[in-house]
Amino acid sequence: MARTRRSRQHTSHQPTSHQPGAAARRARPLLALATAVALALGAGLAALPAQAVDPSGQRLWVDPHSSTFEAAAALEGRAKQEAVLLGGHATATWLTGDKGKDTRAEAERVTRAAQADGSVPTLVVYDLPFRDCAQYSAGGAKDTAEYESFVDEVAAGIGDRDAIVILEPDGLGIIPWWTPYDGTVAWEQTPGWCQPAELDSATAADDRFTQLSYAVDRLTGLDGTSVYLDGTHSSWLGAGDAADRLVRAGVEKADGFFLNASNYEATENLTAYAGWVSDCIALSTQGPDWFVPAYCASQYSGLDGFDAADVSTWGAVDDKYTADFASLGLTRDREHQAHAVLDTSRNGQGPWTGAPAGGYTPGDGDASNDDPEVWCNPPGRGVGETPSTTTPDAVVDAYLWIKVPGESDGQCYRGTDGPQDPERGTVDPPAGGWFPEMAHELVTGAQPALARPTCAVGYTVHGAWPQGFTTQLWVQNTGTSTLRGWDLQWWFEGGQRIQNYWSSDVVQVGNHITASNLSWNATLRPGERTTFGFVGASTSGPGADALYTLLGGKPCSVLG
């Protein structure tokens, strides 16, 4: 991730707003704790979890206590295996300011655990007043002062440790009482939408930028953070509109912007759009005062040869930026312009286009019921690029799983009275709840395909008493190559301590356990398995079953 802040001049001009495609997202709740197992064969502790790294040497953190692993503990069969498979990849932790949640403690837990692992976590900061304009993900701080206190708690929890911060999904895409500089009505208010009576229409939009600017200043002031603001996505705001909002919110002091949070736009389209937004920010902050973001080319500019449905034609927009840089005597340098990170958690198959043209209530004469909510648990999607800080494009810092794949977007009615989702014929789980059917679609529709496990682990508590417990584990080679030496790693969640063990060498550091092979059980041919065990001490029981594993950074399946 970029560590050097990019310094640019600031303008306050606003562009004309463009009509986007349908784009609303759902947030997930604060991550809960669960117990996980990690298996790194022949590599030792430093090999877990293995992810691609960028030149600065950063590796993305896999949370062994994620809500995905917690969901897997309550599942069986294929659904359990798929949850384990998804949970073995780095996903974001959402800090939502929910009452009863200790924001500082959760930020500290995540960043300390990642630091100990030598990797970097992704934190989503999501508590703006009137977030999601009081829709499905309604909530947030009551006012600016409470929001700033929330941000202070996040900053205190992170401290000087490394973190990627995704700052307020929808925060710039949906702004209460927002009006572009030319006085026209922004798409968000058509007609009268996102104009909450509780807010002052004269100051609400400015308050949003004040809140985000405070968060940028506070979080970029930490030693180890990379901070990204909401840039929407390639079927939402025009590049100029997005750039204007980003500049007003302080993107010049941040590391850049994020795209596609909890959405489905294709990576190729997002990459092109990221370049346009980056170029527009550069032109409107480095160019003459008269060049405002409204002059930036976008997917809505109507350029000759451009077809929004055919990404192969999108070079027409790039050509316009090339000409603009030249005419202003500026040099395009995307390596040093604002960068982007992309949410690839569910975009492997791109956006859903299979909704009925007339909606799910045809013939009722009410056009307001025709919205198919293509963003809400669309069928037949797949995960996209797995999380990585190595990408092929200079303007894209990372592929991240910001939305946790497998968690529901909410109970989707698609213009009907519900409670069933008319597309799926079932009642969808509430927002943030685990959705096994959708998780299955995301796994089977993954593009590129997810690597299947080549190992399996079983973990069984045979007995427990007030001061301890006894456990047996199995390790099985489910791949096609012989394993010559293995290390099994897992994490306790309640302060359990291993007292005695057999058939392996065991090392415990804090809550982290490494069990290594002995000479006689080091080799596992395809299909073979071995077993070992231990006696643990605990005053709170053995904790949750340790069901979730990683092999060389990739998830294993579960035996039994």
Side-chain angles (χ1 to χ4, degrees):
M1 310 304 299
R3 285 287 157 198
T4 303
R5 311 286 177 200
R6 300 171 183 85
S7 177
R8 291 173 295 281
Q9 297 177 352
H10 178 80
T11 79
S12 58
H13 299 293
Q14 303 173 12
T16 302
S17 181
H18 298 288
Q19 283 285 341
R25 271 144 315 282
R26 302 295 171 264
R28 55 170 300 248
L30 189 68
L31 289 182
L33 293 180
T35 298
V37 178
L39 180 64
L41 298 180
L45 178 61
L48 178 70
Q51 297 284 350
V53 295
D54 73 348
S56 65
Q58 289 182 308
R59 178 166 51 87
L60 296 173
W61 183 61
V62 178
D63 187 352
H65 303 305
S66 71
S67 60
T68 303
F69 288 135
E70 184 180 57
L75 299 170
E76 296 180 351
R78 184 189 74 188
K80 178 188 289 287
Q81 306 298 347
E82 289 170 344
V84 170
L85 180 61
L86 292 170
H89 296 84
T91 53
T93 300
W94 288 63
L95 304 175
T96 62
D98 290 348
K99 299 300 182 283
K101 303 290 187 180
D102 190 331
T103 297
R104 180 188 297 203
E106 181 67 352
E108 183 174 0
R109 176 192 76 83
V110 169
T111 54
R112 281 193 182 279
Q115 182 184 59
D117 179 64
S119 55
V120 61
T122 300
L123 295 173
V124 179
V125 173
Y126 190 65
D127 195 41
L128 276 172
F130 282 88
R131 68 184 186 205
D132 200 27
C133 214
Q135 296 186 104
Y136 295 95
S137 295
K142 66 180 181 181
D143 53 29
T144 297
E146 186 172 284
Y147 180 70
E148 291 180 355
S149 294
F150 164 77
V151 171
D152 289 343
E153 289 296 295
V154 173
I158 295 173
D160 61 359
R161 294 174 291 276
D162 286 354
I164 299 165
V165 176
I166 302 300
L167 185 56
E168 299 295 344
D170 294 333
L172 290 174
I174 304 175
I175 304 174
W177 291 100
W178 170 251
T179 303
Y181 78 105
D182 61 359
T184 62
V185 177
W187 73 269
E188 294 101 321
Q189 277 72 262
T190 54
W193 184 76
C194 201
Q195 297 179 340
E198 301 95 319
L199 298 181
D200 185 342
S201 62
T203 61
D206 287 339
D207 288 344
R208 172 61 56 88
F209 292 113
T210 296
Q211 293 152 7
L212 289 171
S213 294
Y214 179 86
V216 169
D217 288 341
R218 186 73 174 87
L219 295 169
T220 59
L222 303 175
D223 289 342
T225 57
S226 296
V227 179
Y228 297 86
L229 284 156
D230 177 28
T232 74
H233 61 67
S234 53
S235 290
W236 193 349
L237 298 182
D241 196 352
D244 174 72
R245 301 182 193 204
L246 286 163
V247 169
R248 288 174 57 110
V251 72
E252 297 164 90
K253 295 176 287 185
D255 294 272
F257 50 94
F258 62 88
L259 301 178
N260 201 47
S262 300
N263 219 282
Y264 301 87
E265 297 301 311
T267 298
E268 184 178 11
N269 299 47
L270 295 168
T271 301
Y273 179 73
W276 305 341
V277 174
S278 178
D279 285 348
C280 185
I281 292 171
L283 288 170
S284 57
T285 58
Q286 298 175 15
D289 289 343
W290 60 262
F291 191 98
V292 296
Y295 298 146
C296 290
S298 80
Q299 66 274 44
Y300 305 115
S301 296
L303 297 175
D304 289 343
F306 178 85
D307 180 357
D310 183 1
V311 71
S312 69
T313 70
W314 286 25
V317 178
D318 287 296
D319 292 343
K320 180 63 167 63
Y321 279 106
T322 299
D324 288 343
F325 274 100
S327 68
L328 296 178
L330 299 174
T331 300
R332 174 195 275 154
D333 182 6
R334 288 182 173 176
E335 180 65 34
H336 296 95
Q337 295 171 193
H339 284 191
V341 293
L342 312 182
D343 185 356
T344 59
S345 61
R346 305 188 298 179
N347 73 342
Q349 297 291 333
W352 179 43
T353 59
Y360 292 89
T361 56
D364 67 352
D366 185 356
S368 67
N369 292 336
D370 293 342
D371 184 3
E373 298 180 342
V374 297
W375 45 264
C376 194
N377 297 332
R381 302 304 89 200
V383 297
E385 298 284 348
T386 53
S388 174
T389 55
T390 295
T391 79
D393 193 276
V395 82
V396 178
D397 281 344
Y399 301 134
L400 303 176
W401 284 6
I402 296 174
K403 169 71 177 183
V404 178
E407 291 187 349
S408 175
D409 293 312
Q411 294 179 321
C412 312
Y413 297 166
R414 309 187 195 280
T416 70
D417 293 331
Q420 285 193 332
D421 180 338
E423 175 64 26
R424 292 182 174 274
T426 61
V427 177
D428 297 344
W434 191 257
F435 198 166
E437 293 79 10
M438 192 171 187
H440 176 64
E441 294 165 1
L442 293 174
V443 168
T444 57
Q447 191 60 244
L450 289 175
R452 292 293 175 164
T454 58
C455 64
V457 172
Y459 183 105
T460 301
V461 177
H462 285 301
W465 52 95
Q467 302 298 321
F469 59 99
T470 182
T471 296
Q472 183 178 10
L473 295 95
W474 292 265
V475 181
Q476 183 174 13
N477 179 3
T478 59
T480 58
S481 301
T482 297
L483 300 175
R484 304 185 187 280
W486 49 266
D487 290 329
L488 179 67
Q489 302 176 45
W490 73 91
W491 291 259
F492 286 135
E493 64 175 350
Q496 295 85 355
R497 303 292 301 178
I498 291 180
Q499 291 183 316
N500 300 297
Y501 51 88
W502 54 92
S503 299
S504 68
D505 283 329
V506 175
V507 175
Q508 179 169 2
V509 179
N511 284 343
H512 183 267
I513 313 298
T514 303
S516 303
N517 63 270
L518 301 179
S519 59
W520 59 268
N521 62 2
T523 300
L524 292 178
R525 296 180 179 84
E528 288 187 340
R529 67 176 182 173
T530 190
T531 186
F532 65 95
F534 65 87
V535 174
S538 173
T539 58
S540 58
D545 288 345
L547 297 174
Y548 317 110
T549 69
L550 297 172
L551 174 58
K554 299 177 182 179
C556 292
S557 58
V558 178
L559 289 172

